[in-house]
């Protein structure tokens, strides 16, 4: 007789690892399967920005979710450090969103009122104030919004810490295991098929990022997801030319430990390849040089890409499969997987445990683009 | 209306690339799709031995196939160099199969009669003759078979040369494209589904190595394939301590250009992971040090693994799907994919072109383990 | 007129960087020159053991120095984190020195009395007690000394943190600058010659590890130093098989973050090359497998070497040049450069500042092997 | 008694390795010492252009030398392949020097008359002719000079082949050996001092590139040499967008095997560091994109630097030391070390063997900037 698990999670990125960690804290017997290595895709490619305000600039369910998740980071950082020994390097030096034209300035000022209405901190800095804060920024900018509460973490460390903490709490990790299908009996999930055999459980969570849709096709669910390739590079300085994260239309610059800057990210819609192109480097270079002229003094470290999983309406999928009992989905977090991972782990665990009503996740329901399911 | 191809090949390893090249020479409009990069799996991990005699030690269809394929190498090396500009570094310095006990010696001497009966060259070397040829081998060995006709090539270069030559002759290469299903209409193949959309063709060849079985499950074909993980490492010397390839029970040592030795390979049955273990290194080290004591003077370069696709009877699959018209399969070449790639490319092309009767590939038929198909 | 410095330090390893940091705290204007990159030699190759007891097993000036330096680590870790933002990952889980024979056991038990006489903690563990603490150690061992106060840090991070903190406090760092000579006038140092020109200062500290002797030949000082090449490798585990550092005759195993073990180190006396040999890997493997049998389950990460600067009597050189005023030397810390770096930085700074009498460093005097100097 | 050599060569770059190879063919007992690894500096960083015409655009001793050296390549490629087994990938597809303004066009046309007067082939291509040859070049260029006889090789392979062939012919190679001084007795060289002891010979050749001057200071010779840092990067294409080498004011693009382009090189005068800067990448990118717009489609492979040894008048040093008998120098080949290595190896060997009068190397004499020597 083969082992059976309380929950099987398919996909060892930051989302799957966070859910595994949160379920483990509830004493659940969990199996986490990953086709390659833990965190080897988008989760490790990320710059680790916690841009709860910077990235989500409209009221709505994603905005609320992002604020809540950002607020969980101080505690989660401490908890993960204690349990896994890994420091996720949470930095809270704020974020500057810069303007290079009057139009952008007006747009940013409009945003400030929005933030303030939401009860969030946000402050307009004139060019002088901005340069006082970050003296290496370009004098040709027209000012910036300062968001003191948007920080950043080390993305590969975060994923690794969730997975290692989960493992220490008893979760079984299986790397290099490709899930090829789900096993369904009488409209109930009973397990998964993989390249190394079947695993059984009455609850399965699909957290396979952009690859989630393909796995779920078999269940009749239309779950549209497409990759947005992001090219990034990193630079080294004796002392980093900025202290806060700086973002602008189309690029961000995140200062990390030891004088390292991460610069990202291009937006290659529908591209599944992981090639860094010279074009990508040029586009990032051109944009960032306008903002931070002496960025070019930096020493080249390396370049890489990540495939961020996007959905048609920009909202992640989080919820139950409409027809198969015991089948859950959490995918499509696009550029905000790092930021949203704590709250996703928490909410999905509550949903699985029956402690949260699925109505509370209504905007994220997984069948919102699946006509068959809706008309059923 | 979307483009249609004469033939679609699923899997850009050495087998798929060779078929693409051979079809291109017939002016076929071919699409080669590969889930990651060309040659990124077993094809690049190989040491490139052309052990037609060394590896296949019994009469039978595989033995004949291997001899024929080995004989194609001088011409194919020249043709690929001319067409792609890539030198596959064909080396014809022979191979020594060494014995460390009377039992192994008797077994090897029996092999010599077998080779000679097959009309192949093979010669017994006493310890003194062996040491004259390769003075660094251990004096504790009891002798060796010398196979002057077994050579080696650079495996990554061979795959790359097939693919590049195919591309130059007009084949479309699509890397980073995962094939998720085959499209069948009235028992006829009409195309494939991938993560970037569908592609159409009335002929599809599956050359996905150990991953081929999973793709074909959908067609009802039981095509058993399992991985045998092989760990290898390479060493550097001012001058390589051997000039011929040396193999023994459980390991091989292949001398490459610039004083490099490749040492392989462990046999991890059923292991899908690509981790090199300290145990693997230790096992290879222990075996090779017995044969070539001063191998330990070498400078460590690197270690890697490959997943070799094995079948229950050790023969590759080559042929037509028993029920779906237009669907072809070439997979399961185990440790001999490099050696067998030229003849596989040639034979599969002939089969696809209708120039070869499938009866000639009878021992390799793809439904030999598929009861359903057989009882049909 | 060219800039002049209060102090020039020649050599950007952990010793030079620590001195730079300590001088910077005294508001000195310091130039640190390094021929390649900061910490690129022995300082980064180290496993970071703080083996104040484990490594120094006799009473004497080195023993006292080591205990004092180890005791500085908690404060220095905090200070460096605050100033440079870099976490040196100080771990205080103790160290086990294991015995595999009655002879080794007796020797270790003798050591315990020695440690206790010195007022240091040390405890004998029977095999059962040892296995309770570290269940994966071999049952064939005969027991172990437990040293609860010997910890470890990340060696590259420590060097980097000293240098970065120094830089933040105003020290000028010049990498890729080779010092080719010292400039002397009337038996007084006035500067250094480098490949990019001269730099001037009335105080110069040579901290060039094994390369220090060559630079000082010009001054008539015979400062014997020779390299001891140490080969190391690292392994990855889902969970590390040990929690404390384990050392034995001829090898050590240090557990780092994220399931990583560092295994070291061979002792290649007089070897200046940085080649990892298969022999080195084999020797470490054989030794460690005896102690920790399942070490072989680990995944291979990488191998490297470092050149540790040794002196004829095993004591580092720390002090003033006997004839040239203003010329100081701190080199030859062998396997204990990481451990000894805080106290060396402190003592050398005090010596330079005139706050410490050179008599206190008598055992480390730099002319102890220089007959000419002594007889002068 | 220690071994003595016929000749000791100090510096294992392409120049030292070529001299070692040529001396070995004369049956000389040679020791080649190298501070790190053979070819680890400028020799491996080079793009391998054989720009005998493209790089040297004035009549004079360097021009003649370059033509002669280029003509040696077909034979040397064959000889090295046979002796060392290494293919240096000599490619003879010519070189295009493009013009982007009328001024540049006039200058290039003037060059054509010069080449033709020298008896060299050179041809003006109108924009249309240029685009017919290389359809991906920019239509905004005004034309190009076509130099059919300027080819390229793989620079690391060339150095490696010289050294390995030398080793096979009996030369002793000592890597990781730093030469700290020359040993002189009665105005005669008798050996060298290194970090691993002394080596003796009555003939020593210094071939240490930009580091040669420092070593020779001790002999009173002023041999001005300074580094010119060159940053380069490489790109990968399914098919390279050019077939000939393309050069322009300030950059070159060299097409290598397997769809790789090498782009170089910046000119950082006096810079000894090996850091690739974002500025360097930007400058090359901007220049090359003007010439070859779709270069940006390429996949980023990697970036690197080399330190090219320059002299005040742009001519290398080749000859005898003016005062120390038995001491020879060959250094300062700037951007043309690869191109000039065969003839340098040949001429220096003839000089050492007494088969060539030093008057024939008059323009390259080593004391031309050393007033003391001249006035002696």
């Amino acid at each position: 007789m083969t082992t059976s698990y309380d929950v099987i999670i398919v996909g060892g990125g930051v989302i799957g690892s966070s859910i595994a960690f949160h379920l483990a804290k509830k004493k659940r017997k969990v199996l986490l399967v990953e086709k390659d290595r833990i965190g080897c895709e988008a989760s490790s490619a990320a710059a680790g920005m916690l841009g709860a305000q910077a990235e989500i600039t409209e009221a709505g369910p994603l905005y609320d979710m992002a604020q809540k998740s950002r607020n969980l980071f101080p505690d989660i950082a401490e908890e993960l450090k204690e349990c896994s020994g890994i420091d996720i390097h949470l930095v809270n030096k704020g974020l500057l969103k810069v303007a290079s034209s009057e139009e952008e300035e007006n747009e940013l000022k409009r945003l400030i009122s929005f933030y303030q209405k939401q009860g969030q901190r946000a402050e307009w800095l004139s060019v002088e104030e901005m340069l006082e804060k970050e003296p290496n920024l370009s004098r040709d900018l027209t000012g910036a919004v300062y968001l003191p509460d948007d920080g950043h973490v080390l993305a590969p460390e975060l994923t690794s810490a969730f997975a290692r903490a989960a493992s220490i709490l008893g979760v079984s990790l299986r790397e290099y295991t490709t899930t090829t299908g789900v096993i369904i009996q009488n409209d109930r999930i009973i397990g998964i098929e993989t390249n190394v055999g079947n695993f059984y459980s009455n609850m399965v969570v699909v957290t396979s990022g952009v690859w989630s849709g393909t796995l779920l096709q078999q269940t009749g669910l239309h779950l549209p997801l497409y990759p947005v390739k992001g090219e990034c590079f990193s630079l080294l300085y004796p002392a980093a030319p900025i202290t806060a994260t700086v973002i602008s239309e189309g690029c961000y610059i995140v200062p990390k430990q030891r004088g390292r800057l991460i610069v990202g990210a291009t937006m290659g819609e529908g591209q599944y390849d992981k090639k860094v192109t010279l074009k990508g480097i040029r586009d990032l270079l051109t944009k960032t040089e306008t903002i931070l002229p002496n960025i070019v003094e930096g020493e080249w470290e390396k370049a890489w890409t990540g495939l961020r999983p996007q959905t048609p309406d920009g909202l992640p999928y989080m919820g139950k499969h409409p027809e198969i009992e015991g089948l859950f989905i959490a995918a499509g977090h696009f550029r905000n997987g790092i930021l949203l991972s704590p709250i996703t782990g928490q909410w999905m665990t509550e949903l699985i445990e029956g402690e949260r009503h699925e109505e509370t996740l209504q905007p994220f329901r997984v069948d919102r683009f699946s006509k068959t399911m809706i008309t059923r």
Side-chain angles (χ1 to χ4, degrees), chain A residues 41-284:
Chain A
E41 295 283 355
S43 304
S44 288
M49 254 197 300
L50 305 179
Q53 292 172 246
E55 290 271 304
I56 303 130
T57 52
E58 304 183 348
L62 192 57
Y63 187 85
D64 297 336
M65 184 185 180
Q67 307 311 315
K68 280 183 185 135
S69 203
R70 189 184 65 190
N71 296 342
L72 295 174
F73 268 92
D75 285 352
I76 212 95
E78 207 171 311
E79 195 178 356
L80 289 174
K81 175 78 202 238
E82 197 167 312
C83 180
S84 72
I86 300 172
D87 186 346
I88 64 169
H89 287 261
L90 174 62
V91 174
N92 278 316
K93 299 219 172 126
L95 186 151
L96 286 177
K97 209 163 178 172
V98 299
S100 17
S101 66
E102 211 185 301
E103 198 188 333
E104 280 179 26
E105 183 176 335
N106 292 337
E107 170 60 16
L108 290 180
K109 285 181 172 164
R110 192 198 59 72
L111 265 180
I112 292 182
S113 353
F114 161 69
Y115 292 137
Q116 289 170 344
K117 216 174 296 166
Q118 303 290 328
Q120 302 290 340
R121 297 198 292 166
E123 185 188 343
W124 178 253
L125 302 183
S126 67
V127 182
E128 291 66 34
E129 291 165 328
M130 180 192 82
L131 289 173
E132 198 174 327
K133 196 163 190 56
E134 297 289 351
N136 289 309
L137 291 178
S138 169
R139 296 180 171 277
D140 294 339
L141 296 169
T142 67
V145 175
Y146 178 51
L147 303 170
D149 298 320
D150 274 358
H152 58 89
V153 296
L154 292 180
E157 271 70 7
L158 177 63
T159 310
S160 185
F162 272 135
R164 192 162 289 271
S167 167
I168 286 165
L169 296 174
V171 169
S172 304
L173 304 184
R174 289 196 71 109
E175 296 184 322
Y176 294 107
T177 302
T178 308
T179 302
T180 52
V182 287
I183 315 174
I184 295 162
Q185 225 171 46
N186 303 327
D187 286 346
R188 238 212 154 291
I189 194 117
I190 60 160
I192 60 169
E193 292 170 353
T194 78
N195 59 341
V196 294
N198 296 348
F199 296 98
Y200 298 99
S201 173
N202 288 323
M203 289 197 280
V204 170
V205 193
V206 175
T207 56
S208 308
V210 74
W211 296 274
S212 303
T214 307
L215 184 63
L216 291 162
Q217 259 176 355
Q218 171 197 353
T219 68
L221 179 68
H222 178 56
L223 190 80
L225 279 162
Y226 59 93
V228 179
K229 182 172 92 170
E231 292 155 300
C232 301
F233 59 77
S234 58
L235 303 168
L236 303 174
Y237 299 81
I242 50 173
T243 55
T245 298
V246 174
I247 78 174
S248 163
E249 192 56 34
C251 73
Y252 54 76
I253 316 175
V254 188
K256 298 287 178 183
Q257 250 203 144
R258 299 172 83 168
R260 171 180 286 116
L261 291 191
I262 294 182
V263 175
T266 58
M267 297 278 280
E269 304 221 341
Q271 292 177 26
Y272 272 99
D273 72 89
K274 295 185 197 149
K275 297 178 181 174
V276 174
T277 62
L278 187 59
K279 187 175 178 311
I281 293 171
R282 183 200 58 189
D283 290 354
L284 292 174

